[in-house]
Amino acid sequence: MLHHAMKGATGGDTNMTLRAEDDSSAGDNLAFLKSKLIWDMGQDGKERVLDADGNGVMMGWEEPLSQSYCLLMEVADSQCKNMSD
């Protein structure tokens, strides 16, 4: 149904292939959790973490986002502690 809707929205073929079952680490959460993660250096010189099938799990460009999230969580945590005092 999604494939059909996207095909209609773009007015043509989306070159998308949908599979009824996907046993790869990208399509199966248990397979992903069991897969070995690999640290790799991309051609752009940034670190990235790949799963056993070579799919990106965490990319170097995400680092500033993760750092910002951690800072926000620290602020929220300290505000919560102050409210409980």
Side-chain angles (χ1 to χ4, degrees):
M1 185 163 59
L2 177 62
H3 180 51
H4 180 72
M6 290 180 71
K7 188 174 183 177
T10 61
D13 191 9
T14 62
N15 293 324
M16 183 188 323
T17 302
L18 299 178
R19 292 181 265 179
E21 291 186 29
D22 185 354
D23 295 332
S24 73
S25 59
D28 182 350
N29 194 44
L30 290 177
F32 170 74
L33 293 173
K34 292 178 182 178
S35 70
K36 179 180 178 184
L37 300 180
I38 304 162
W39 285 93
D40 185 52
M41 185 70 68
Q43 291 181 348
D44 58 2
K46 294 184 179 181
E47 288 183 303
R48 57 191 183 165
V49 179
L50 305 175
D51 66 10
D53 294 324
N55 299 309
V57 174
M58 184 125 193
M59 310 304 273
W61 61 264
E62 294 177 285
E63 185 175 0
L65 299 173
S66 297
Q67 290 171 339
S68 297
Y69 179 74
C70 288
L71 290 173
L72 289 170
M73 293 304 294
E74 287 176 14
V75 169
D77 185 50
S78 66
Q79 289 176 347
C80 288
K81 288 179 181 175
N82 289 337
M83 290 174 64
S84 66
D85 290 340

